[in-house]
Amino acid sequence: DGCNYEDWQITYVPHGINESHFFPISKDSEGYKSVLDLRKSFLTGKKNKDVIPEFVFLYNSRNIRRKQTADIILAYKTFCDKLPKEKAAKCVLVLHTQNGTNLIEVKDVLCPDYNVTFTNKAFNVHEMNTLYNASDVLINISSNEGWGLSATEAMMSGICTIVNMTGG
């Protein structure tokens, strides 16, 4: 462009995920106990509290209409309806979100018979990596999002993602 910039005038900020923040936690590592403890806690206080979840769905996003959180709860119910009752009792949908629609009421209306749990705080990066590693799949079906940050973090943590194509 004909401009001569000095090094101090130009900064490149890469777009990506720090692989020291989000990564698969090995079953042989010290940190794997925290993954198991978190996974077990997903059913704490539920009628099946002694059951360790066999399959964990994770939703990690804002609680706004375009994120279609109620649709995820309904899809989870439809999934569990197709399973034998003893298998459905070992599944859980974890909603890591805040504010917005009263998702407890939505869960009670749409999915009263299955395990849906809510996180109750903001997580730091280490806790988020543990949350991803304690899950089997992340769901992000936003109606207007070209690519979700949570999907990238989940993949860096070694879990599968369910996403749609929106061209957001």
Side-chain angles (χ1 to χ4, degrees):
D1 66 4
C3 296
N4 293 319
Y5 294 105
E6 300 290 325
D7 287 345
W8 63 269
Q9 292 175 303
I10 300 172
T11 302
Y12 171 70
V13 179
H15 184 73
I17 304 296
N18 186 334
E19 57 192 38
S20 68
H21 292 170
F22 297 100
F23 55 89
I25 298 175
S26 165
K27 291 181 180 181
D28 302 331
S29 75
E30 233 177 78
Y32 195 69
K33 182 183 180 323
S34 61
V35 170
L36 291 178
D37 289 345
L38 183 57
R39 193 172 176 107
K40 288 176 190 176
S41 76
F42 293 150
L43 295 179
T44 299
K46 308 287 183 190
K47 52 190 164 188
N48 299 317
K49 64 182 175 185
D50 296 327
V51 176
I52 297 171
E54 287 184 8
F55 202 83
V56 177
F57 295 88
L58 173 62
Y59 172 80
N60 173 29
S61 202
R62 294 181 57 210
N63 180 9
I64 57 177
R65 185 178 175 278
R66 74 177 173 86
K67 297 292 187 171
Q68 304 186 92
T69 315
D71 289 355
I72 290 171
I73 295 170
L74 185 58
Y76 172 71
K77 178 202 180 296
T78 302
F79 173 82
C80 288
D81 283 346
K82 295 178 186 270
L83 295 175
K85 285 199 182 293
E86 60 277 358
K87 287 285 190 187
K90 294 179 181 179
C91 293
V92 65
L93 171 61
V94 177
L95 298 170
H96 183 65
T97 191
Q98 61 190 25
N99 304 333
T101 304
N102 183 344
L103 294 177
I104 295 171
E105 186 70 24
V106 172
K107 180 260 185 247
D108 289 345
V109 170
L110 294 180
C111 191
D113 300 326
Y114 300 116
N115 298 310
V116 177
T117 193
F118 299 85
T119 59
N120 60 359
K121 65 174 189 157
F123 286 12
N124 64 36
V125 172
H126 173 74
E127 291 168 323
M128 279 308 305
N129 189 52
T130 302
L131 179 60
Y132 287 126
N133 276 270
S135 306
D136 294 296
V137 65
L138 173 102
I139 303 172
N140 180 347
I141 61 166
S142 177
S143 65
N144 285 306
E145 187 163 1
W147 186 255
L149 179 61
S150 64
T152 307
E153 292 171 349
M155 288 189 298
M156 291 294 292
S157 300
I159 70 167
C160 297
T161 59
I162 297 172
V163 296
N164 60 351
M165 291 178 22
T166 64

